Amino acid sequence: MRWIIFMFLLFISSMEMLTQTSWRKRGSTGLFGNCTGCILCSEDNGCMACQQRLFLLIWRKGIRQYGACVHTCPPGYFGVRGQEVNRCTKCTSPSCESCFSKDFCIKCKERFYLHKGKCLSTCPPSTTAQPSTRECQETCELGPWSEWSTCTNEGRTCGCKWGLETRARGVLGGPKEEEEEAAVACPGLLESRKCRMRKHCPGGEGGVSGGAGPGPGGAGSRPCCRAEAISPWLPSSSERGP
């Protein structure tokens, strides 16, 4: 009795192996030409399982579904590796040529521009279309300059001949988060220039930020100002605009 059961199981196993071999042979002369990289392949649907490190690409044509094993996923898909199978997953947007994840594009098809992971037909306000890269670049719409700061030299407001004064301006736009992103790419948000200071401090004040004390000659308790503290390339106030 055991011998009969053993022979029956051996017969079933042999039939399964013959069926799989038949699928591979029929697939090699069928729709896809061959079953390269496939572990399991059928004439009607192509590859159904792939060798390790290959991606299973599945697409539909009408009501039929086809499969193929590929080394890299084609445009419009991205690879997802799993424990049992590696799959090519389709990008959500039809205008996306390459994506990092299902809903985040990294390259768009022609006539579309990339902006924050999305492919758009036109760039949104405060951005400019770049035809070479097909991306929307943030436009620097800057606000007005602030008033010039107090003229200082190493924290002193008097007692020196020359000092520096600065002014700043912000980026105009929508929400604060977008303004902070644009500020990273926008130059010219801070400006400095050389300025003439009061050489003598009135009343013997030192003119040191955070507190001052009397010193020799009424110049404060700190040593004499150093001229090299002022950058020589910075234009003077007469050379810069208001």
Side-chain angles (χ1 to χ4, degrees), residues 4-165:
I4 295 175
I5 294 175
F6 173 77
M7 292 299 295
F8 179 72
L9 294 175
L10 182 63
F11 174 76
I12 293 177
S13 178
S14 299
M15 290 299 296
E16 290 179 351
M17 293 179 63
L18 288 173
T19 302
Q20 293 181 8
T21 303
S22 176
W23 277 349
R24 293 192 184 97
K25 289 182 178 179
R26 283 185 293 173
S28 64
T29 58
L31 178 65
F32 298 97
N34 60 70
C35 287
T36 304
C38 298
I39 296 178
L40 190 61
C41 187
S42 75
E43 182 179 6
D44 296 329
N45 301 107
C47 292
M48 294 181 290
C50 299
Q51 298 176 5
Q52 289 184 350
R53 298 186 178 181
L54 297 182
F55 292 95
L56 178 61
L57 173 64
I58 298 177
W59 72 96
R60 293 184 179 274
K61 186 176 181 181
I63 61 174
R64 298 186 63 179
Q65 178 175 286
Y66 304 100
C69 295
V70 296
H71 289 277
T72 57
C73 297
Y77 291 80
F78 71 100
V80 178
R81 295 192 180 274
Q83 294 182 351
E84 297 182 357
V85 62
N86 304 324
R87 295 183 180 275
C88 288
T89 304
K90 193 173 184 179
C91 303
T92 301
S93 174
S95 56
C96 185
E97 182 175 317
S98 179
C99 55
F100 175 76
S101 62
K102 192 173 183 180
D103 298 309
F104 194 94
C105 291
I106 55 177
K107 187 178 180 180
C108 299
K109 295 180 179 179
E110 292 187 8
R111 300 189 300 275
F112 291 93
Y113 296 93
L114 181 66
H115 181 65
K116 296 183 178 181
K118 304 293 183 182
C119 292
L120 310 173
S121 57
T122 57
C123 289
S126 75
T127 62
T128 303
Q130 300 295 320
S132 58
T133 59
R134 297 207 299 272
E135 295 180 357
C136 297
Q137 185 177 2
E138 296 289 343
T139 303
C140 294
E141 186 178 356
L142 304 177
W145 285 105
S146 66
E147 297 293 332
W148 287 103
S149 67
T150 304
C151 189
T152 61
N153 185 319
E154 296 185 328
R156 305 179 64 164
T157 59
C158 61
C160 304
K161 185 176 181 180
W162 297 103
L164 281 180
E165 57 184 3

